Amino acid sequence: MPHLPALHAAIDDTIAQQNAGITIQRRHEGDMRDIWTMQPRFEKRIGRYPYRLLEVPRFRAGYDFMLLRSQTGSCNASLGQWWTDFIHADLPEREALLAKAKEEDLQSGQVPSNPNKKRRRRSKKPLKEAEKSMDLEMGDGKHE
């Protein structure tokens, strides 16, 4: 099972098991889901991802949970330290941390070696005859 669907399935299973004993209020359940689904985003430390993650409303709760995970060994301890340094750093220090993280990810093979490869854009679909005639009719009506 791919990573993200597996995470959502695990969240659903955990909440279902918990609700069998003590019911969790929906507002707390939503917060828990947000915090859990945020966890894979902490591993993306390249480009604008860290800055975008800082803007998430529940970032601090997700960050605290990630620190707990790193202390218990559920995730890499250096990841928690990197995020702590990133939060407390000024702009030049953040850029240096991003460069260091990118280099580490390249060495470990987590990032493709050619990140500047451009994606192909989808070509526009040609207009159907009916759409062309409608465009012409609408155009004629506007200019009169």
Side-chain angles (χ1 to χ4, degrees):
M1 182 180 275
H3 186 67
L4 200 56
L7 176 63
H8 285 285
I11 291 170
D12 292 339
D13 290 345
T14 302
I15 291 175
Q17 287 175 358
Q18 180 61 38
N19 283 337
I22 299 174
T23 304
I24 301 171
Q25 292 180 359
R26 289 218 182 259
R27 64 184 169 130
H28 297 304
E29 185 179 315
D31 292 344
M32 289 168 38
R33 286 180 186 275
D34 289 346
I35 291 166
W36 283 335
T37 55
M38 192 185 304
Q39 297 307 302
R41 294 178 65 189
F42 282 107
E43 297 171 8
K44 294 183 179 182
R45 301 178 296 164
I46 294 179
R48 301 293 308 162
Y49 287 114
Y51 293 107
R52 287 185 195 151
L53 193 55
L54 286 174
E55 295 170 0
V56 172
R58 291 187 181 86
F59 168 78
R60 186 60 195 207
Y63 165 73
D64 290 340
F65 185 62
M66 187 266 308
L67 284 180
L68 286 171
R69 290 178 55 233
S70 66
Q71 290 171 357
T72 60
S74 294
C75 71
N76 192 348
S78 64
L79 187 64
Q81 184 60 48
W82 187 91
W83 274 100
T84 301
D85 295 343
F86 188 79
I87 290 170
H88 298 296
D90 59 357
L91 188 60
E93 291 172 345
R94 284 182 175 180
E95 294 300 322
L97 285 167
L98 287 170
K100 182 180 174 186
K102 184 176 182 179
E103 187 64 34
E104 288 173 1
D105 289 348
L106 282 172
Q107 289 176 356
S108 66
Q110 291 181 354
V111 175
S113 59
N114 189 4
N116 294 329
K117 184 178 178 183
K118 299 205 180 221
R119 292 184 178 180
R120 291 175 56 188
R121 294 187 139 202
R122 292 196 325 187
S123 60
K124 292 184 178 180
K125 292 182 180 178
L127 289 176
K128 295 179 182 176
E129 290 300 319
E131 292 173 349
K132 287 181 185 178
S133 63
M134 286 182 67
D135 288 342
L136 290 175
E137 289 173 8
M138 291 177 139
D140 290 340
K142 289 181 181 176
H143 296 292
E144 289 181 9

